[in-house]
């Protein structure tokens, strides 16, 4: 069953609590939080204090996508707060295997995020140790960008490679997801679809979430 993770980046930040409540009522499975530091990506969003307050009022699992250099600085804190899913970028971390273990020590589902130009084969050596992989279908930094079809091939390769060594591995796709590309993403083996502007850009969140789930 596909899970839909609306990205809060496209929500109305002046009314965050209301937006979170509405997205939960609309049937969101996971809440996706985009953390950007102005170094790893050319944009700034929010950091730890905001994540903590959001986690405290959110009833569905919270998924923190770290688009930051030196993600290792934040992993223990996110673990102590029982964040449900945390991913950091392979391009930003030298000791991937070590940092996955830091997250898993707290029971966090640990994931690696891959930029569009990073080959999926580069994470094959750690696939057995991963809970999920976040495949970027836009260059990270902003909501509302166009979907890059190059991800289909990556999803297919990863699904095939992980089938025996880690059948529980979840594949998350993030960026430019809409109702036109969702069916193919699901058929290739995606488990979690992140959607920002497609959901929050509408005045009917429930209808948008449902349209992503309908194959
Ligand atoms: C981009 C973020 C995405 C983004 C998705 O850097 O990681 O999560 O918010 O937004 P849309 O769905 O509008 O591309
Ligand atoms: Zn994201």
């Amino acid at each position: 069953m596909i899970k839909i993770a609306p990205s809060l980046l496209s929500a109305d930040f002046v009314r965050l609590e209301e937006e979170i409540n509405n997205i939960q009522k609309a049937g969101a499975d996971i809440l996706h939080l985009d953390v950007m530091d102005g170094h790893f990506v050319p944009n700034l969003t929010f950091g730890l204090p905001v994540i903590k307050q959001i986690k405290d009022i959110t009833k569905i699992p919270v998924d923190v996508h770290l688009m930051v250099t030196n993600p290792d600085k934040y992993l223990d804190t996110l673990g102590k707060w029982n964040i449900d899913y945390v991913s950091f970028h392979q391009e930003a971390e030298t000791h991937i295997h070590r940092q996955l273990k830091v997250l898993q020590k707290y029971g966090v589902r640990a994931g690696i995020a891959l930029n569009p130009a990073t080959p999926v084969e580069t994470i094959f050596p750690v696939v057995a140790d991963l809970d999920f992989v976040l495949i970027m279908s836009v260059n990270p930094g902003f909501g509302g960008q166009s979907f890059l079809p190059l991800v289909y091939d990556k999803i297919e390769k990863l699904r095939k490679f992980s089938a025996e060594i880690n059948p529980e591995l979840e594949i998350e796709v993030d960026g430019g997801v809409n109702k036109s590309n969702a069916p193919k993403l699901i058929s290739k083996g995606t488990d979690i679809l992140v959607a920002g502007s497609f959901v929050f850009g509408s005045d009917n969140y429930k209808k948008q979430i449902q349209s992503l789930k309908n194959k």
Side-chain angles (χ1 to χ4, degrees), residues 15 23 30 41 48 68-69 98 107 139 141 156 159 172 176:
R15 299 168 34 249
I23 213 77
I30 296 172
V41 287
L48 292 175
V68 304
T69 46
R98 176 185 293 160
N139 287 292
E156 208 169 272
R159 194 83 280 171
E172 178 174 30

Side-chain angles (χ1 to χ4, degrees), residues 16 26 29 39 42 48 52 79 96 109 128 147 199 206 208 212:
L16 270 192
D29 300 288
H39 295 275
L48 292 175
K52 174 78 170 85
I96 285 176
R109 290 185 71 74
F147 176 82
V199 174
K206 189 171 182 173
Q208 297 302 90
L212 291 174

Side-chain angles (χ1 to χ4, degrees), residues 10 14 19 27 32-33 67 78 86 95 118 126 158 177 181 195 208:
S10 296
V14 180
E19 290 278 62
H32 184 83
L33 301 182
M67 284 162 278
L78 295 170
V86 175
H95 305 287
T118 304
V126 291
L158 180 58
V177 170
N181 50 41
Q208 297 302 90

Side-chain angles (χ1 to χ4, degrees), residues 7 9 32-36 63-67 87 89 134 136 140 172 174-175 194:
S7 161
L9 189 60
H32 184 83
L33 301 182
D34 288 305
V35 180
M36 305 186 188
D63 168 30
V64 173
H65 176 194
L66 293 171
M67 284 162 278
S87 63
H89 271 259
L134 187 162
M136 290 296 313
E172 178 174 30
D174 183 9
V194 177

Side-chain angles (χ1 to χ4, degrees), residues 16-175:
L16 270 192
E17 185 167 12
E18 201 182 320
E19 290 278 62
I20 292 168
N21 288 337
N22 288 340
I23 213 77
Q24 289 178 155
K25 274 187 224 145
D29 300 288
I30 296 172
L31 181 67
H32 184 83
L33 301 182
D34 288 305
V35 180
M36 305 186 188
D37 67 349
H39 295 275
F40 183 70
V41 287
N43 196 7
L44 285 165
T45 54
F46 48 80
L48 292 175
V50 177
I51 295 172
K52 174 78 170 85
Q53 291 193 29
I54 290 174
K55 172 66 181 164
D56 287 346
I57 60 152
T58 304
K59 297 183 187 81
I60 55 177
V62 170
D63 168 30
V64 173
H65 176 194
L66 293 171
M67 284 162 278
V68 304
T69 46
N70 305 319
D72 57 294
K73 287 183 184 168
Y74 312 106
L75 304 182
D76 278 290
T77 306
L78 295 170
K80 283 177 193 154
W81 293 345
N82 299 313
I83 303 296
D84 305 271
Y85 290 77
V86 175
S87 63
F88 53 85
H89 271 259
Q90 196 227 36
E91 304 85 3
E93 173 56 52
T94 320
H95 305 287
I96 285 176
H97 183 265
R98 176 185 293 160
Q99 305 313 345
L100 292 173
K101 297 295 157 192
V102 171
L103 289 169
Q104 287 164 344
K105 172 177 88 185
Y106 296 98
V108 175
R109 290 185 71 74
I112 301 289
L114 296 175
N115 280 340
T118 304
V120 71
E121 289 82 355
T122 58
I123 52 156
F124 281 4
V126 291
V127 160
D129 299 289
L130 282 164
D131 295 300
F132 72 107
V133 177
L134 187 162
I135 299 183
M136 290 296 313
S137 38
V138 298
N139 287 292
F142 303 93
Q145 303 181 79
S146 303
F147 176 82
L148 299 170
L150 58 83
V151 294
Y152 294 127
D153 188 46
K154 292 167 105 172
I155 300 163
E156 208 169 272
K157 283 181 182 159
L158 180 58
R159 194 83 280 171
K160 219 183 220 168
F161 183 80
S162 64
E164 271 188 27
I165 53 171
N166 188 356
E168 304 292 303
L169 180 85
E170 288 186 291
I171 300 180
E172 178 174 30
V173 176
D174 183 9

